[in-house]
Amino acid sequence: MLNLIKLVVGVSSVEELAERQKNPLNTRQHPQHSARLPVVHTRTFPRQSEEVLQGGSLYRVISGLIQCRQQVLDLQTETRADGTQGTLILLSPEIIRVEPRALRPFQGWRYLKASDAPPDLSGTQSSNLPPHLQKELTLLGL
């Protein structure tokens, strides 16, 4: 199993990400699922897609912190309005919070080995701190 990691641009919290994913423009119908699934648009198709589709997740970087993940359910190619090829990453609607970890910005997506991925948080570990405070505490190792 292999994961992907990608920045979320223009979103400052996991709650805001969840709201954005409710927009019909950010979802697609999948033949194997009754509900519409959240989708992420990206340019390149993962060469190691088979490993990602064996239970991998898309980890999301919000405000400089890895904060959550969603299981990758499918990867599809698409032809964009301008005629260029792109990729759709179809995700589970369930957003799972992870132990926050600081990460510097990067473009596109990257692979993330399971051994390098932050652990999931249990329901009692969830933080209600503003992202900037959570980031400062994480950088301090607290």
Side-chain angles (χ1 to χ4, degrees), residues 31-49:
Q32 297 175 350
H33 300 276
S34 57
R36 292 178 64 89
L37 298 176
V39 66
V40 173
H41 300 263
T42 188
R43 193 174 313 167
T44 57
F45 193 89
R47 290 185 180 152
Q48 297 180 42
S49 60

Side-chain angles (χ1 to χ4, degrees), residues 57-77:
S57 291
L58 178 65
Y59 284 76
R60 309 306 298 270
V61 180
I62 301 170
S63 299
L65 295 172
I66 303 171
Q67 294 192 34
C68 62
R69 70 177 181 90
Q70 291 173 275
Q71 185 177 4
V72 175
L73 299 177
D74 200 7
L75 297 164
Q76 300 175 351
T77 58

Side-chain angles (χ1 to χ4, degrees), residues 101-116:
R101 185 178 297 166
L103 190 67
R104 292 164 57 136
F106 59 90
Q107 288 189 329
W109 55 265
R110 302 284 184 265
Y111 289 114
L112 179 66
K113 296 178 187 174
S115 59
D116 296 333

